[in-house]
Amino acid sequence: MKRILTFSVQLANRKLAIQMFAFALLLFAGLNCGTENPIEETEDTIAIETTATGSFRGDVELIEGVTIYMRFLKAGQILAQVEFEMHGVKTTSTNANIHTSTQLGVGRYHLKEAEPGDYIVQISAKGYQTKELNVTVIPDESISLDKIALDVLETPVSHLRGVLTNEVTGQPLGGINLQLTDNAGKVYETLTTVEGVFSFENLPVQQPFTLTIAHAGYEGKEVAVRPIPASETLELTVELTPLAEPEKLDPGQGLSIGTQAPDFELPDGNGKLHALADYKADKNVVLIFYRGGW
């Protein structure tokens, strides 16, 4: 009986030893696997291209009781507009990079993070000579412009002021570019404020104008403006008609009305290929599919 008990204990100890040895082998194999084939953690990086920007700043002398209009243009396009008055900034720009303030009769402006290139700063006021400053923005440079003081005009001029609204909702349309062309072909530009107000100062007198408005989502519009007498301001109310929402088609049914056609090539009756890009300069392109003779 004693031998049997001893044998049982030895057998149990041997079984436990085998289990411990197997566990050790598994553990070692796992560690060794990690040593021979290490898992390298990789991190995807996306290169973001950024363009170095510059800035410019300047001052303008304010005039008691007079609104001074400051417009910023680049490549012939008006980017932003600010209105100064003696006791504060009347209308600020919707461009977040333009910072303005007034202090002790001086209006201050600062265009930050401006893309490199040529800019024009236009300063005007009713009855005062319009002045323009040309500035070339250079990356990583801050430019200080000369202080501007406007001079009284000696020649008679007229002015135009108005409000631009949505014809359907009646809501004012802000930040929209307007162009006014005089009888000699000279073009004046302005932006509407957040209240939809627009203004053109110091226009030639006694001649007609054409007001042109083109904005995405609305029908283009031209308004004939009658001649304006000297020293007078003509008031206008202009409405833009929103375009109808384009018809949406299910996939496979073709292009929706109002959507842009993709670039494509099609052969004519003689097998010659014609690309849509070759006709983009034309106002309208008409496709006719001819099934041929029978």
Side-chain angles (χ1 to χ4, degrees):
M1 186 68 179
K2 183 177 181 181
R3 288 183 181 179
I4 296 175
L5 291 175
T6 302
F7 178 78
S8 299
V9 171
Q10 290 177 350
L11 184 60
N13 290 338
R14 184 179 297 177
K15 187 176 180 181
L16 178 60
I18 293 173
Q19 291 176 345
M20 293 294 292
F21 180 75
F23 177 77
L25 285 177
L26 290 174
L27 180 61
F28 178 78
L31 293 174
N32 189 49
C33 180
T35 303
E36 291 181 355
N37 302 290
I39 299 175
E40 296 182 0
E41 293 186 3
T42 59
E43 184 175 326
D44 294 335
T45 57
I46 300 175
I48 300 176
E49 295 184 1
T50 58
T51 302
T53 60
S55 66
F56 62 85
R57 67 174 72 223
D59 297 336
V60 57
E61 289 188 9
L62 304 180
I63 306 169
E64 186 67 48
V66 175
T67 299
I68 293 181
Y69 301 86
M70 180 170 291
R71 299 180 176 99
F72 300 84
L73 298 92
K74 186 176 188 293
Q77 295 292 322
I78 182 168
L79 303 178
Q81 179 174 303
V82 176
E83 297 179 16
F84 286 107
E85 289 186 341
M86 178 61 76
H87 304 291
V89 181
K90 181 179 178 182
T91 302
T92 59
S93 171
T94 55
N95 189 325
N97 291 330
I98 296 180
H99 300 261
T100 56
S101 62
T102 59
Q103 185 177 10
L104 301 176
V106 174
R108 294 178 174 174
Y109 60 92
H110 186 188
L111 178 54
K112 300 180 179 180
E113 298 183 9
E115 294 183 359
D118 297 328
Y119 291 77
I120 295 177
V121 182
Q122 186 184 85
I123 305 103
S124 64
K126 288 183 179 180
Y128 290 80
Q129 184 178 356
T130 299
K131 292 190 177 183
E132 292 186 349
L133 295 174
N134 296 295
V135 54
T136 299
V137 172
I138 301 173
D140 301 321
E141 288 194 16
S142 180
I143 302 171
S144 295
L145 303 179
D146 295 334
K147 185 177 181 180
I148 294 298
L150 297 181
D151 301 319
V152 176
L153 275 171
E154 297 180 358
T155 56
V157 291
S158 60
H159 317 286
L160 175 63
R161 180 179 174 85
V163 178
L164 184 66
T165 61
N166 184 311
E167 183 183 43
V168 176
T169 65
Q171 295 296 316
L173 300 176
I176 294 183
N177 183 286
L178 285 76
Q179 292 186 337
L180 187 71
T181 307
D182 64 20
N183 206 31
K186 183 176 180 179
V187 177
Y188 306 82
E189 286 193 74
T190 192
L191 282 178
T192 57
T193 67
V194 292
E195 293 84 13
V197 177
F198 61 89
S199 176
F200 293 93
E201 310 82 42
N202 306 323
L203 302 172
V205 300
Q206 298 298 350
Q207 68 167 278
F209 300 91
T210 300
L211 180 64
T212 305
I213 310 170
H215 190 68
Y218 292 86
E219 294 181 4
K221 191 161 192 173
E222 287 191 353
V223 179
V225 180
R226 63 175 176 80
I228 309 171
S231 302
E232 290 192 10
T233 300
L234 177 65
E235 300 284 345
L236 282 182
T237 299
V238 183
E239 296 177 329
L240 287 188
T241 303
L243 293 173
E245 290 290 333
E247 179 186 358
K248 295 183 179 180
L249 300 178
D250 294 331
Q253 288 187 309
L255 293 174
S256 300
I257 297 175
T259 59
Q260 183 175 352
D263 290 330
F264 61 85
E265 290 184 345
L266 288 175
D268 60 16
N270 298 318
K272 181 181 178 181
L273 287 176
H274 298 269
L276 178 62
D278 298 334
Y279 300 91
K280 283 186 177 179
D282 299 332
K283 184 174 181 181
N284 297 308
V285 177
V286 178
L287 296 179
I288 299 176
F289 295 91
Y290 177 59
R291 67 181 182 181
W294 292 92

